Amino acid sequence: MASSHSSSGDVRDTRDQQGSHPPPTSNTAAGNSQEVIAFSTIVLNYVLPQVVKDLEAQDVGPAQAFADSLRKAEAEVPGIAFQIVSSILESQSPKLNVIEHLLKLTGSSAGPDSYLESQGGYYAELEQHAHEVKKILSSLPEIVLDRSRFLDNIKKIALHLKNYLAALVHIAKELEQKYPQNTAIQRSLQYRRQEFSRASRHFSEQLKVYFQDNSKAQNIYPSALALIASNIQFSHKLKDMLLQLNGVNASRATSRGRDG
């Protein structure tokens, strides 16, 4: 989480004392680490929709069936979507930095749907700040060598993250007041907040490494990608939660109507 920022680019929430995950040592990191799973989130939300669109435009086979298969495989083996796609990209362009490529791609693709924005209020505010964070992070490879612009954008990221968390606090309070008996909501929100805090802290740590040694700019990209993925994961979870709650409420209203 990010409640403050400084000239060193620290966007860490010091209240979160949980550990962070080291960046992959290569494009296709071995195993199913949390970051590789995060990268799969990017693949499924930014790469896969474009691939399906391109294949359908070319009338190349059952594009949607391919997408469904990849999503199913990811559900069975978390991280496999990134490993498959990164292997394909590396085979086509051996010198391609897959992580950097995916990071840039998030800035030019629409990504997840706009359900939360359509809910208005703090939900829309949450998504707006998440979008701004994504947009700035995706531009880091283009500005990382311009120290002045880079610092300015890091400060903007910190501010958007601070506002993102403020919106999240309001949402949590609203849901707690509306569903006081549903403790699962608060547990789920707290867990996602911790995951987001961990991703934010890791990004902050990699910034510090970069400021100590500017030759390590690419070390920032995996943590930036993981931070975007954390936002996506939270948005999906919140959307599913709202849809489920709305479904329960609709069911109860129907039942009351029948009883009346």
Side-chain angles (χ1 to χ4, degrees):
M1 291 184 280
S3 56
S4 63
H5 62 266
S6 67
S7 60
S8 65
D10 188 358
V11 294
R12 176 177 57 185
D13 183 338
T14 55
R15 290 172 297 177
D16 179 38
Q17 300 299 324
Q18 298 188 52
S20 58
H21 305 279
T25 55
S26 65
N27 281 344
T28 49
N32 291 327
S33 72
Q34 290 300 310
E35 276 199 334
V36 172
I37 294 173
F39 300 156
S40 276
T41 297
I42 300 297
V43 167
L44 295 177
N45 286 278
Y46 289 100
V47 179
L48 193 56
Q50 187 59 49
V51 169
V52 170
K53 183 178 180 180
D54 291 344
L55 289 177
E56 289 179 339
Q58 300 173 35
D59 195 25
V60 180
Q64 193 56 53
F66 164 73
D68 293 341
S69 296
L70 190 58
R71 293 184 186 281
K72 183 177 180 180
E74 179 65 24
E76 295 292 331
V77 186
I80 193 66
F82 168 73
Q83 294 179 345
I84 291 173
V85 170
S86 61
S87 295
I88 293 173
L89 291 174
E90 287 177 347
S91 67
Q92 295 175 341
S93 304
K95 294 183 179 181
L96 178 69
N97 184 311
V98 175
I99 302 300
E100 181 178 347
H101 178 71
L102 291 179
L103 184 59
K104 292 178 180 178
L105 186 62
T106 61
S108 59
S109 302
D113 64 56
S114 57
Y115 175 81
L116 292 183
E117 285 190 57
S118 70
Q119 302 305 296
Y122 289 113
Y123 296 102
E125 188 175 323
L126 186 84
E127 283 298 274
Q128 288 166 4
H129 289 299
H131 175 75
E132 289 302 317
V133 168
K134 182 202 74 168
K135 186 168 67 174
I136 298 172
L137 288 174
S138 68
S139 72
L140 292 185
E142 305 298 331
I143 65 173
V144 71
L145 297 181
D146 185 333
R147 190 174 182 85
S148 178
R149 287 184 63 197
F150 183 77
L151 283 172
D152 183 56
N153 278 277
I154 293 302
K155 292 175 182 178
K156 290 178 182 178
I157 289 173
L159 180 59
H160 283 298
L161 291 178
K162 178 181 178 180
N163 292 332
Y164 178 95
L165 289 169
L168 173 55
V169 169
H170 284 291
I171 289 172
K173 288 181 178 179
E174 285 183 0
L175 291 175
E176 184 176 9
Q177 292 172 359
K178 193 172 182 179
Y179 305 99
Q181 304 302 320
N182 195 332
T183 57
I185 292 177
Q186 297 307 314
R187 289 199 303 270
S188 180
L189 288 175
Q190 180 62 20
Y191 172 74
R192 286 299 170 186
R193 182 174 178 174
Q194 290 173 349
E195 289 294 301
F196 177 77
S197 178
R198 183 181 295 115
S200 179
R201 180 182 178 182
H202 183 35
F203 177 64
S204 175
E205 290 172 345
Q206 294 307 311
L207 283 176
K208 289 182 176 180
V209 172
Y210 165 72
F211 283 117
Q212 292 170 0
D213 184 353
N214 289 0
S215 68
K216 296 183 179 180
Q218 290 189 349
N219 286 14
I220 302 172
Y221 304 154
S223 59
L225 203 59
L227 186 53
I228 294 173
S230 180
N231 275 330
I232 295 172
Q233 291 164 349
F234 182 80
S235 292
H236 284 174
K237 183 63 179 179
L238 191 55
K239 174 185 174 180
D240 291 343
M241 184 186 299
L242 292 176
L243 289 174
Q244 183 177 8
L245 291 172
N246 290 337
V248 170
N249 289 339
S251 177
R252 288 175 179 172
T254 301
S255 177
R256 285 196 296 268
R258 290 171 180 168
D259 293 342

